[in-house]
Amino acid sequence: MKRSSILTFVQAAAQVEVTFNKIIDGSKRVLIGTLNMDMIPNDQTPESSEGQEADTQVVNIYDLEKNDWRSFNISTVTNLVGMTADGEVVTIETAFE
């Protein structure tokens, strides 16, 4: 799946659950995150996007559990589930391998 498709999905959802394998040790990680600026504290909101997202395989996302910005590499994603602002669950079946 292309980065642009994943980014569009993440931007459209109020929040997402991304399951991926960490590059460092291969361990499974589940991240609950958002790109919805209404859900990100003002002191954590980026001032600009300049210089961000330079790596075309990486997506930056605000982690709602850790209350900080994290990133994931799209080549390691095993599942992606989103929830709309209306509470509708939307899934993307993946075959990234």
Side-chain angles (χ1 to χ4, degrees):
M1 183 166 283
K2 292 183 177 182
R3 180 182 180 275
S4 60
S5 299
I6 290 176
L7 195 55
T8 298
F9 181 80
V10 172
Q11 288 171 331
Q15 71 179 43
V16 294
E17 177 182 285
V18 184
T19 305
F20 61 96
N21 297 315
K22 290 184 177 183
I23 291 178
I24 294 173
D25 62 6
S27 63
K28 178 180 168 183
R29 163 93 156 90
V30 178
L31 184 152
I32 308 296
T34 189
L35 289 177
N36 181 335
M37 292 303 157
D38 293 335
M39 297 178 72
I40 300 170
N42 289 335
D43 65 337
Q44 294 285 326
T45 304
E47 292 180 19
S48 76
S49 60
E50 186 177 322
Q52 294 180 11
E53 310 287 356
D55 187 335
T56 59
Q57 294 297 307
V58 174
V59 173
N60 294 326
I61 189 167
Y62 187 78
D63 187 320
L64 293 168
E65 295 178 320
K66 296 192 183 275
N67 296 315
D68 204 359
W69 288 91
R70 298 290 190 258
S71 62
F72 61 89
N73 188 305
I74 63 169
S75 67
T76 66
V77 174
T78 57
N79 195 39
L80 183 60
V81 178
M83 182 178 287
T84 66
D86 297 331
E88 179 184 352
V89 175
V90 183
T91 63
I92 290 183
E93 296 300 319
T94 60
F96 292 103
E97 299 177 29

